[in-house]
């Protein structure tokens, strides 16, 4: 089916599906003009709810009034860390709603894995935010072909993408057999599956699996063949996979693909990698930000100058080690307040990423805050002057070194570093020169140990970790997670 009619059919089916399952998803997916006022209202509602119904916050929010109508109290609330969540989960972190409506979401983080709980209303908001993100950054409309290559994991509870995969027909057959045709939850689940498989037109490819970060040429050729055949409008994949496929096209001098929209999932593409991706895939890279706890949080507009926060769904701040907001453009820890999850509210939650925020209006006309995420806090190095070297900095530094295709850096403490490098088969690597270059870059008198490898292995969650940093170790203010 051609893209336009398919998209019209998809849009109509989505509306019908939402109507029958009491879903608000499509109207939520439209970014409202008065998001500031909506955020105020939702913030006061979530504070009131958490104050009354969630034991952890009953305690935490005691110093502030139960009824507030603006964000002015926000900065007075202590941040919620992953340790807090772990220590009070589940009873202390959840409200008194019916657990039959709960869904567990497991984070796929490489440092500290957590489970968060979402009720129906939050799941609806997650769907809406995902649609909004796809629409705003890249012009995707439901029905357009999309290919996803998620990090390869094999677990009962899935991460970011939510529910465990089950076929539409087998779910429908199960409902029929169990006499659940009028069961609201079963109908909602069926809607979700139809949406994913039939309406949104999403295909999923397996990840690189045992091949690690750098699969052999014939494996990469297979991905190319499939992508040329499926001709997706959007390609959404783990950054490591995107970069490996793009580099393969580049080094083998193959004709570029023609995929208009390139996105990453569950990982970061660094500023230095963008041109390679855009050239090889023949489209535009659109950055976005999200997590298993929250769903899609922010995305780029056509100016590609920071990510617009969905500020009717979330309040995003960048704070220092004490939890005080930092000035625009200054690096800090990202904290997120979810305005849509009443089941397990997360207020000023330290998500574990570092970045900067910009409150200036964007050239596109939108006035909400924009964030730039630069990597995980646990994956940030502290240089000899106390400055931060984020994952983006480290990856871009290594990949511009002659003879290096990719690498990992591990901070061992006391200025000792271990570098694992994938060598470029076309350019010789001068290990001594690289050691010196790294020492100069990180500063001081570091001890640098080098080793080479043919491929890098993913962590248990299927993601690749390029840096084991020392920021959280060197910070005196406890673990941030
Ligand atoms: Zn903009």
């Amino acid at each position: 089916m051609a893209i336009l009619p398919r998209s019209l059919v998809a849009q109509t089916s989505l509306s019908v599906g939402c109507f029958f399952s009491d879903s608000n998803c499509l109207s939520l997916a439209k970014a409202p003009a008065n998001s500031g006022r909506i955020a105020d209202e939702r913030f006061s509602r979530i504070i009131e709810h958490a104050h009354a119904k969630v034991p952890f916050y009953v305690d935490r929010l005691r110093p502030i009034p139960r009824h507030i109508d603006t964000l002015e109290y926000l900065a007075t609330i202590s941040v919620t860390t992953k340790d807090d969540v772990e220590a009070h989960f589940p009873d202390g972190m959840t409200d008194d709603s019916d657990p039959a409506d709960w869904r567990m979401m497991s984070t796929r983080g490489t440092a500290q894995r957590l489970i968060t709980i979402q009720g129906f209303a939050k799941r609806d908001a997650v769907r809406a935010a995902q649609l909004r993100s796809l629409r705003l950054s890249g012009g995707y409309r439901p029905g357009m072909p999309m290919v996803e290559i998620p990090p390869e994991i094999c677990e009962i509870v899935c991460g970011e993408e939510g529910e465990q995969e089950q076929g539409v027909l087998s779910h429908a057959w199960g409902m029929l057999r169990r006499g659940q045709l009028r069961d609201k939850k079963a109908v909602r689940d069926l809607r979700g599956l139809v949406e994913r498989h039939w309406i949104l037109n999403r295909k999923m490819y397996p990840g690189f699996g045992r091949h690690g970060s750098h699969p052999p040429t014939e494996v990469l050729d297979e991905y190319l063949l499939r992508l040329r055949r499926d001709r997706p409008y959007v390609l959404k994949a783990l950054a490591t996979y995107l970069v490996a496929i793009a580099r393969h096209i580049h080094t083998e001098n193959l004709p570029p693909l023609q995929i208009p929209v390139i996105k990453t999932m569950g990982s970061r593409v660094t500023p230095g990698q963008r041109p390679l991706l855009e050239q090889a895939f023949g489209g535009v890279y659109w950055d976005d930000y999200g997590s298993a706890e929250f769903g899609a949080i922010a995305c780029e507009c056509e100016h590609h100058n920071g990510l617009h926060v969905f500020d009717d769904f979330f309040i995003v701040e960048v704070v220092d080690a004490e939890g005080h907001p930092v000035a625009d453009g200054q690096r800090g820890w990202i904290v997120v307040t979810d305005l849509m999850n009443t089941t397990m509210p997360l207020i000023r939650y330290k998500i574990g990423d570092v970045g900067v925020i910009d409150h200036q209006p964007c050239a596109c006309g939108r006035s909400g805050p924009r964030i730039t995420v630069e990597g995980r806090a646990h994956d940030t190095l502290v240089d000899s002057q106390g400055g931060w070297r984020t994952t983006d900095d480290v990856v871009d530094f290594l990949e511009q070194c002659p003879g290096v295709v990719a690498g990992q850096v591990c901070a061992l403490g006391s200025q000792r570093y271990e570098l694992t490098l994938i060598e470029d088969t076309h350019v010789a690597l001068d290990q001594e020169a690289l050691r010196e270059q790294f020492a100069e870059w990180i500063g001081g008198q570091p001890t640098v140990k080098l080793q080479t490898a043919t491929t890098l292995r993913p962590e248990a969650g299927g993601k690749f970790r390029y840096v084991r940093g020392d920021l959280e170790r060197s910070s005196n203010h406890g673990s941030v997670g």
Side-chain angles (χ1 to χ4, degrees):
M1 212 189 303
I3 284 185
L4 186 63
R6 171 134 197 174
S7 185
L8 282 175
V9 171
Q11 194 72 29
T12 315
S13 330
L14 266 182
S15 311
V16 173
C18 287
F19 177 77
F20 279 107
S21 56
D22 289 335
S23 162
N24 213 4
C25 167
L26 280 185
S27 59
L28 280 176
K30 295 193 187 86
N34 53 344
S35 58
R37 195 174 52 77
I38 294 176
D40 281 356
E41 282 170 18
R42 286 184 178 155
F43 177 65
S44 53
R45 213 185 320 146
I46 206 98
I47 293 292
E48 199 172 325
H49 181 76
H51 231 305
K53 307 270 188 188
V54 182
F56 171 76
Y57 283 112
V58 168
D59 220 35
R60 179 64 56 103
L61 298 177
R62 193 157 289 145
I64 72 164
R66 184 179 285 200
H67 305 286
I68 51 176
D69 46 20
T70 66
L71 301 183
E72 67 178 307
Y73 286 98
L74 182 68
T76 67
I77 304 169
S78 320
V79 297
T80 302
T81 64
K82 294 192 177 184
D83 288 342
D84 289 332
V85 175
E86 230 169 23
H88 297 87
F89 186 85
D91 297 347
M93 295 305 299
T94 45
D95 68 1
D96 57 357
S97 59
D98 181 5
D101 181 44
W102 292 4
R103 186 151 306 158
M104 311 279 176
M105 306 295 294
S106 164
T107 63
R108 273 185 207 157
T110 49
Q112 194 175 5
R113 292 170 71 82
L114 279 188
I115 294 190
T116 51
I117 294 174
Q118 302 178 344
F120 173 68
K122 172 60 186 172
R123 296 203 295 277
D124 226 17
V126 169
R127 283 202 177 90
Q130 195 183 17
L131 276 178
R132 192 191 287 181
S133 169
L134 283 164
R135 192 180 296 171
L136 281 181
S137 54
Y140 171 87
R141 294 285 180 273
M144 290 175 167
M146 176 171 10
V147 165
E148 291 180 334
I149 321 178
E152 194 152 84
I153 48 157
C154 178
E155 280 175 271
I156 307 291
V157 189
C158 293
E160 175 171 347
E161 293 310 315
E163 46 261 62
Q164 200 188 349
E165 284 299 294
Q166 189 187 20
V168 174
L169 292 178
S170 71
H171 183 83
W173 172 239
M175 282 172 68
L176 202 65
R177 233 178 25 213
R178 291 187 292 271
Q180 285 178 327
L181 289 180
R182 286 175 186 281
D183 180 294
K184 273 214 152 126
K185 184 173 178 296
V187 171
R188 283 171 190 161
D189 286 349
L190 180 66
R191 189 207 63 180
L193 288 170
V194 169
E195 215 172 276
R196 189 172 167 76
H197 294 288
W198 293 357
I199 302 180
L200 292 184
N201 199 3
R202 282 150 84 168
K203 279 199 176 102
M204 206 181 281
Y205 296 179
F208 292 170
R210 66 191 164 83
H211 298 298
S213 63
H214 290 75
T217 310
E218 58 274 20
V219 172
L220 292 168
D221 280 335
E222 269 170 45
Y223 281 90
L224 279 181
L225 206 67
R226 279 184 86 171
L227 285 170
R228 289 195 202 279
R229 194 189 54 212
D230 289 337
R231 302 169 59 110
Y233 179 80
V234 180
L235 170 63
K236 208 165 184 282
L238 191 69
T240 304
Y241 301 160
L242 287 177
V243 172
I245 297 170
R247 197 161 276 139
H248 177 62
I249 294 174
H250 181 74
T251 51
E252 301 294 319
N253 242 330
L254 301 169
L257 290 156
Q258 288 174 309
I259 303 175
V261 176
I262 314 143
K263 280 170 166 275
T264 178
M265 61 197 304
S267 54
R268 297 198 40 68
V269 162
T270 69
Q273 292 166 337
R274 280 185 177 213
L276 170 76
L277 297 188
E278 297 193 333
Q279 211 175 26
F281 291 115
V284 177
Y285 177 77
W286 296 81
D287 199 10
D288 56 23
Y289 182 50
S291 78
E293 297 96 314
F294 299 116
I297 296 171
C299 73
E300 277 185 342
C301 70
E302 64 278 14
H303 293 275
H304 302 275
N305 187 15
L307 310 172
H308 288 279
V309 173
F310 301 147
D311 56 352
D312 52 330
F313 293 161
F314 303 99
I315 301 167
V316 174
E317 303 164 87
V318 174
V319 304
D320 62 19
E322 279 88 25
H324 304 306
V326 298
D328 278 16
Q330 199 180 320
R331 279 175 169 170
W333 284 266
I334 294 174
V335 302
V336 180
T337 299
D338 191 339
L339 301 174
M340 304 305 280
N341 190 349
T342 48
T343 312
M344 180 173 164
L346 289 171
I347 298 166
R348 303 198 85 214
Y349 172 75
K350 219 162 186 176
I351 190 167
D353 291 315
V354 294
V356 297
I357 198 161
D358 185 352
H359 288 90
Q360 294 304 310
C362 177
C364 71
R366 293 182 184 88
S367 57
R370 279 168 293 147
I371 50 165
T372 302
V373 184
E374 297 178 279
R376 311 273 313 156
H378 275 293
D379 300 353
T380 300
L381 301 175
V382 180
D383 68 21
S384 65
Q385 303 297 307
W388 292 8
R389 304 285 183 173
T390 63
T391 320
D392 282 8
D393 297 335
V394 177
V395 169
D396 281 349
F397 166 79
L398 284 179
E399 292 189 355
Q400 57 79 42
C401 291
V404 178
V405 172
Q408 276 173 323
V409 177
C410 182
L412 303 168
S414 331
Q415 285 240 301
R416 287 179 306 123
Y417 300 91
E418 187 179 76
L419 273 54
T420 307
L421 305 168
I422 307 279
E423 283 183 79
D424 191 335
T425 45
H426 306 281
V427 185
L429 168 69
D430 180 343
Q431 294 209 5
E432 202 38 53
L434 189 114
R435 205 175 273 127
E436 272 170 32
Q437 218 179 328
F438 181 83
E440 196 181 320
W441 183 72
I442 202 78
Q445 305 282 323
T447 314
V448 184
K449 192 181 150 202
L450 279 190
Q451 58 187 27
T452 57
T454 51
T455 194
L456 303 172
R457 298 285 162 201
E459 306 270 311
K463 293 183 189 172
F464 292 83
R465 190 169 179 196
Y466 292 96
V467 189
R468 279 168 206 284
D470 48 7
L471 170 68
E472 298 296 39
R473 259 180 277 155
S474 66
S475 156
N476 294 323
H477 304 278
S479 125
V480 177

